[in-house]
Amino acid sequence: MRIVTGTISHETNVLSNIKTDLEQFRKRRLLYGEEVFDYLKGTRTSVGGLIDGCDDHGFELIPTVFASATPSGKITAAAFETLLGDLLDGIRDADPIDGVALHLHGAGVSENHTDIEGHILSEVRELVGAKPVVSTFDFHANNTRLMVDSADVLIGYDTYPHVDGYERGLEAIDVMTKLLNGSLKPRKAFRQPPMMPALQAQFTGRHPMSKLMEEVHRMEEIEEVETITVAAGFPWSDFEDVGLSIIVTTNNDQLLAEGLAKELTTSLGA
Ligand SMILES: [Zn+2]
């Protein structure tokens, strides 16, 4: 199997007056092709997990672009279009492929898109048609309906501070194998309780987040549940979808997904 990967990652603070242009990505990390593996293979990162997961399953992983800039202001339209073009060109060049496994942040805003991840995933979807598309995300993702509808499965970190990026990368490839062999038919429920937790309250080692994540992990033990993501969101992205969100993905059971998403929402008092 040939899986293609890419990353466009930014945690955007729209109140910052530092524009995030390509130079800002170059300053932190902007890599292409094999450079991505040279830098990330063997690391406990999401992309490190995608690489090892593909090795474990005997999949060929094809790198495109890895772009990450330090949290700052809106991504310029020019920079975003360049990076998205690099990703889409990379996927086209990799053809024939069997699936796409990305790592995105989830709190990116550009001058021309408030929801860059939704736009990225919808463009990837349009390009690859029905082929499986999975992506890992930061715990600070502001998940949107467009993101959920454009990908087959979204897998967010379970921790803040983030210590499970690698495990989520492995999980993404595990999910990819099930999508490819047809044993997983994802049915997703998506909820956005009206909550915007401050970052100081997002620590997953302490109440209330610890209790919420315990509940998530308990539900993930249910046989038909494939994965559950609770993302706390990033307030400073400041657009209509900012805030906490819940994505429950089951194997072919929409009712169960909706029921668990509702239960988690209720447990938050929302
Ligand atoms: Zn984060």
Side-chain angles (χ1 to χ4, degrees), residues 151-181:
D152 289 275
V153 180
L154 303 182
I155 299 164
Y157 297 170
D158 292 341
T159 55
Y160 176 53
H162 314 313
V163 293
D164 66 330
Y166 178 79
E167 285 75 13
R168 301 289 77 77
L170 291 178
E171 185 183 356
I173 297 303
D174 193 42
V175 162
M176 176 63 79
T177 64
K178 297 178 194 173
L179 291 167
L180 288 169
N181 70 22

CSV table of all heavy atoms in Angstrom, one decimal, residues 151-181:
chain,number,residue,atom,x,y,z
A,151,ALA,N,-12.8,14.4,6.1
A,151,ALA,CA,-11.9,13.2,6.3
A,151,ALA,C,-12.7,12.0,6.7
A,151,ALA,O,-13.8,12.1,7.1
A,151,ALA,CB,-10.9,13.6,7.5
A,152,ASP,N,-12.1,10.8,6.6
A,152,ASP,CA,-12.7,9.6,7.0
A,152,ASP,C,-12.7,9.6,8.5
A,152,ASP,O,-13.7,9.3,9.2
A,152,ASP,CB,-12.0,8.4,6.4
A,152,ASP,CG,-12.3,8.2,5.0
A,152,ASP,OD1,-13.3,7.7,4.6
A,152,ASP,OD2,-11.5,8.8,4.2
A,153,VAL,N,-11.5,9.8,9.1
A,153,VAL,CA,-11.3,9.7,10.6
A,153,VAL,C,-10.3,10.8,11.0
A,153,VAL,O,-9.3,10.9,10.4
A,153,VAL,CB,-10.8,8.3,11.0
A,153,VAL,CG1,-10.6,8.2,12.5
A,153,VAL,CG2,-11.8,7.2,10.6
A,154,LEU,N,-10.7,11.5,12.0
A,154,LEU,CA,-9.8,12.5,12.7
A,154,LEU,C,-9.4,12.0,14.0
A,154,LEU,O,-10.2,11.5,14.8
A,154,LEU,CB,-10.5,13.8,12.8
A,154,LEU,CG,-11.1,14.5,11.6
A,154,LEU,CD1,-11.7,15.8,11.9
A,154,LEU,CD2,-10.0,14.7,10.5
A,155,ILE,N,-8.1,12.1,14.3
A,155,ILE,CA,-7.6,11.6,15.6
A,155,ILE,C,-6.8,12.7,16.3
A,155,ILE,O,-5.7,13.1,15.9
A,155,ILE,CB,-6.7,10.4,15.4
A,155,ILE,CG1,-7.5,9.3,14.7
A,155,ILE,CG2,-6.1,9.9,16.7
A,155,ILE,CD1,-6.7,8.2,14.0
A,156,GLY,N,-7.4,13.2,17.4
A,156,GLY,CA,-6.7,14.3,18.1
A,156,GLY,C,-5.9,13.8,19.3
A,156,GLY,O,-6.2,12.7,19.8
A,157,TYR,N,-4.9,14.6,19.7
A,157,TYR,CA,-4.2,14.2,20.9
A,157,TYR,C,-5.1,14.2,22.1
A,157,TYR,O,-6.1,14.9,22.1
A,157,TYR,CB,-3.1,15.3,21.2
A,157,TYR,CG,-2.1,15.6,20.2
A,157,TYR,CD1,-1.2,16.7,20.4
A,157,TYR,CD2,-1.8,14.7,19.2
A,157,TYR,CE1,-0.2,17.0,19.5
A,157,TYR,CE2,-0.8,15.0,18.3
A,157,TYR,CZ,0.0,16.1,18.4
A,157,TYR,OH,1.0,16.4,17.5
A,158,ASP,N,-4.7,13.3,23.1
A,158,ASP,CA,-5.5,13.2,24.3
A,158,ASP,C,-4.9,14.0,25.5
A,158,ASP,O,-5.4,13.9,26.6
A,158,ASP,CB,-5.6,11.7,24.7
A,158,ASP,CG,-6.5,10.9,23.7
A,158,ASP,OD1,-7.2,11.5,22.9
A,158,ASP,OD2,-6.3,9.6,23.7
A,159,THR,N,-3.8,14.6,25.2
A,159,THR,CA,-3.1,15.2,26.3
A,159,THR,C,-2.7,16.6,26.1
A,159,THR,O,-2.4,17.1,25.0
A,159,THR,CB,-1.8,14.4,26.6
A,159,THR,OG1,-1.0,14.4,25.3
A,159,THR,CG2,-2.1,13.0,27.0
A,160,TYR,N,-2.7,17.4,27.2
A,160,TYR,CA,-2.1,18.7,27.3
A,160,TYR,C,-1.4,18.9,28.6
A,160,TYR,O,-2.1,18.8,29.6
A,160,TYR,CB,-3.1,19.8,27.0
A,160,TYR,CG,-2.6,21.2,27.2
A,160,TYR,CD1,-1.4,21.6,26.4
A,160,TYR,CD2,-3.2,22.1,28.0
A,160,TYR,CE1,-0.9,22.9,26.6
A,160,TYR,CE2,-2.6,23.4,28.2
A,160,TYR,CZ,-1.5,23.8,27.4
A,160,TYR,OH,-1.0,25.0,27.6
A,161,PRO,N,-0.1,19.1,28.7
A,161,PRO,CA,0.9,19.2,27.7
A,161,PRO,C,0.8,17.9,26.8
A,161,PRO,O,0.5,16.8,27.2
A,161,PRO,CB,2.2,19.3,28.4
A,161,PRO,CG,1.9,19.8,29.8
A,161,PRO,CD,0.5,19.2,30.1
A,162,HIS,N,1.2,18.1,25.5
A,162,HIS,CA,1.0,17.0,24.5
A,162,HIS,C,2.2,16.0,24.6
A,162,HIS,O,3.3,16.3,24.3
A,162,HIS,CB,1.1,17.6,23.1
A,162,HIS,CG,0.2,18.8,23.0
A,162,HIS,ND1,-1.1,18.9,23.4
A,162,HIS,CD2,0.4,20.0,22.4
A,162,HIS,CE1,-1.6,20.1,23.2
A,162,HIS,NE2,-0.7,20.8,22.5
A,163,VAL,N,1.8,14.8,25.0
A,163,VAL,CA,2.8,13.8,25.2
A,163,VAL,C,2.4,12.5,24.4
A,163,VAL,O,3.1,11.5,24.5
A,163,VAL,CB,3.1,13.4,26.6
A,163,VAL,CG1,3.8,14.6,27.4
A,163,VAL,CG2,1.8,13.0,27.4
A,164,ASP,N,1.3,12.6,23.6
A,164,ASP,CA,0.9,11.4,22.9
A,164,ASP,C,0.8,11.5,21.4
A,164,ASP,O,0.1,10.7,20.7
A,164,ASP,CB,-0.5,10.9,23.5
A,164,ASP,CG,-1.6,11.9,23.2
A,164,ASP,OD1,-1.3,13.1,23.1
A,164,ASP,OD2,-2.8,11.5,23.0
A,165,GLY,N,1.6,12.5,20.9
A,165,GLY,CA,1.6,12.6,19.4
A,165,GLY,C,2.0,11.4,18.7
A,165,GLY,O,1.4,11.0,17.7
A,166,TYR,N,3.0,10.7,19.2
A,166,TYR,CA,3.5,9.5,18.5
A,166,TYR,C,2.5,8.4,18.5
A,166,TYR,O,2.2,7.8,17.5
A,166,TYR,CB,4.8,9.0,19.3
A,166,TYR,CG,5.4,7.8,18.7
A,166,TYR,CD1,6.2,7.8,17.6
A,166,TYR,CD2,5.2,6.5,19.4
A,166,TYR,CE1,6.7,6.6,17.1
A,166,TYR,CE2,5.7,5.4,18.9
A,166,TYR,CZ,6.5,5.4,17.7
A,166,TYR,OH,7.1,4.3,17.2
A,167,GLU,N,1.8,8.2,19.7
A,167,GLU,CA,0.8,7.2,19.8
A,167,GLU,C,-0.4,7.4,18.8
A,167,GLU,O,-1.0,6.5,18.3
A,167,GLU,CB,0.3,7.0,21.2
A,167,GLU,CG,1.2,6.4,22.2
A,167,GLU,CD,2.4,7.2,22.6
A,167,GLU,OE1,2.4,8.5,22.3
A,167,GLU,OE2,3.4,6.7,23.2
A,168,ARG,N,-0.7,8.7,18.7
A,168,ARG,CA,-1.8,9.1,17.8
A,168,ARG,C,-1.4,8.8,16.3
A,168,ARG,O,-2.3,8.5,15.5
A,168,ARG,CB,-2.3,10.5,18.0
A,168,ARG,CG,-2.8,10.8,19.5
A,168,ARG,CD,-4.1,10.2,19.8
A,168,ARG,NE,-4.1,8.8,20.1
A,168,ARG,CZ,-3.6,8.2,21.2
A,168,ARG,NH1,-3.2,9.0,22.2
A,168,ARG,NH2,-3.6,6.9,21.4
A,169,GLY,N,-0.2,9.0,16.0
A,169,GLY,CA,0.3,8.7,14.7
A,169,GLY,C,0.2,7.3,14.4
A,169,GLY,O,-0.3,6.9,13.3
A,170,LEU,N,0.6,6.4,15.3
A,170,LEU,CA,0.5,5.0,15.2
A,170,LEU,C,-1.0,4.6,15.0
A,170,LEU,O,-1.3,3.8,14.2
A,170,LEU,CB,1.0,4.2,16.4
A,170,LEU,CG,2.6,4.2,16.7
A,170,LEU,CD1,2.9,3.5,18.0
A,170,LEU,CD2,3.3,3.7,15.5
A,171,GLU,N,-1.8,5.2,15.8
A,171,GLU,CA,-3.3,4.9,15.8
A,171,GLU,C,-3.8,5.3,14.4
A,171,GLU,O,-4.7,4.6,13.9
A,171,GLU,CB,-4.0,5.7,16.9
A,171,GLU,CG,-5.5,5.4,17.0
A,171,GLU,CD,-6.3,6.2,18.0
A,171,GLU,OE1,-5.7,7.0,18.7
A,171,GLU,OE2,-7.5,6.1,18.1
A,172,ALA,N,-3.4,6.4,13.8
A,172,ALA,CA,-3.9,6.8,12.5
A,172,ALA,C,-3.6,5.8,11.5
A,172,ALA,O,-4.4,5.5,10.6
A,172,ALA,CB,-3.3,8.2,12.1
A,173,ILE,N,-2.4,5.1,11.5
A,173,ILE,CA,-2.1,4.1,10.5
A,173,ILE,C,-2.9,2.8,10.8
A,173,ILE,O,-3.3,2.1,9.9
A,173,ILE,CB,-0.6,3.9,10.5
A,173,ILE,CG1,0.2,5.2,10.0
A,173,ILE,CG2,-0.2,2.7,9.5
A,173,ILE,CD1,-0.3,5.7,8.7
A,174,ASP,N,-3.1,2.5,12.1
A,174,ASP,CA,-3.9,1.4,12.5
A,174,ASP,C,-5.3,1.6,11.9
A,174,ASP,O,-5.9,0.6,11.3
A,174,ASP,CB,-4.0,1.3,14.0
A,174,ASP,CG,-4.5,0.0,14.5
A,174,ASP,OD1,-4.1,-1.0,13.9
A,174,ASP,OD2,-5.3,0.0,15.4
A,175,VAL,N,-5.9,2.8,12.0
A,175,VAL,CA,-7.2,3.1,11.4
A,175,VAL,C,-7.1,3.0,9.9
A,175,VAL,O,-8.0,2.4,9.3
A,175,VAL,CB,-7.6,4.5,11.9
A,175,VAL,CG1,-8.7,5.0,11.0
A,175,VAL,CG2,-8.1,4.5,13.3
A,176,MET,N,-6.0,3.4,9.3
A,176,MET,CA,-5.9,3.4,7.9
A,176,MET,C,-5.9,1.9,7.4
A,176,MET,O,-6.6,1.6,6.4
A,176,MET,CB,-4.5,4.0,7.5
A,176,MET,CG,-4.2,3.9,6.0
A,176,MET,SD,-5.4,4.8,4.9
A,176,MET,CE,-4.9,6.5,5.1
A,177,THR,N,-5.3,1.0,8.1
A,177,THR,CA,-5.3,-0.4,7.7
A,177,THR,C,-6.8,-0.9,7.7
A,177,THR,O,-7.1,-1.7,6.8
A,177,THR,CB,-4.5,-1.3,8.6
A,177,THR,OG1,-5.1,-1.3,9.9
A,177,THR,CG2,-3.0,-0.9,8.7
A,178,LYS,N,-7.6,-0.5,8.7
A,178,LYS,CA,-9.0,-1.0,8.7
A,178,LYS,C,-9.8,-0.4,7.6
A,178,LYS,O,-10.7,-1.0,7.1
A,178,LYS,CB,-9.5,-0.7,10.1
A,178,LYS,CG,-8.9,-1.4,11.3
A,178,LYS,CD,-9.5,-0.9,12.6
A,178,LYS,CE,-8.6,-1.3,13.8
A,178,LYS,NZ,-9.1,-0.8,15.0
A,179,LEU,N,-9.5,0.9,7.3
A,179,LEU,CA,-10.2,1.5,6.2
A,179,LEU,C,-9.9,0.8,4.9
A,179,LEU,O,-10.7,0.6,4.0
A,179,LEU,CB,-9.9,3.0,6.1
A,179,LEU,CG,-10.4,3.9,7.3
A,179,LEU,CD1,-9.7,5.2,7.2
A,179,LEU,CD2,-11.9,4.0,7.2
A,180,LEU,N,-8.6,0.5,4.7
A,180,LEU,CA,-8.2,-0.2,3.5
A,180,LEU,C,-8.7,-1.6,3.3
A,180,LEU,O,-9.0,-2.0,2.2
A,180,LEU,CB,-6.6,-0.1,3.4
A,180,LEU,CG,-6.0,1.2,3.2
A,180,LEU,CD1,-4.5,1.2,3.4
A,180,LEU,CD2,-6.3,1.8,1.8
A,181,ASN,N,-8.8,-2.3,4.4
A,181,ASN,CA,-9.3,-3.7,4.3
A,181,ASN,C,-10.8,-3.8,4.4
A,181,ASN,O,-11.4,-4.9,4.4
A,181,ASN,CB,-8.5,-4.7,5.2
A,181,ASN,CG,-8.9,-4.4,6.7
A,181,ASN,OD1,-9.9,-3.9,7.0
A,181,ASN,ND2,-8.0,-4.9,7.6
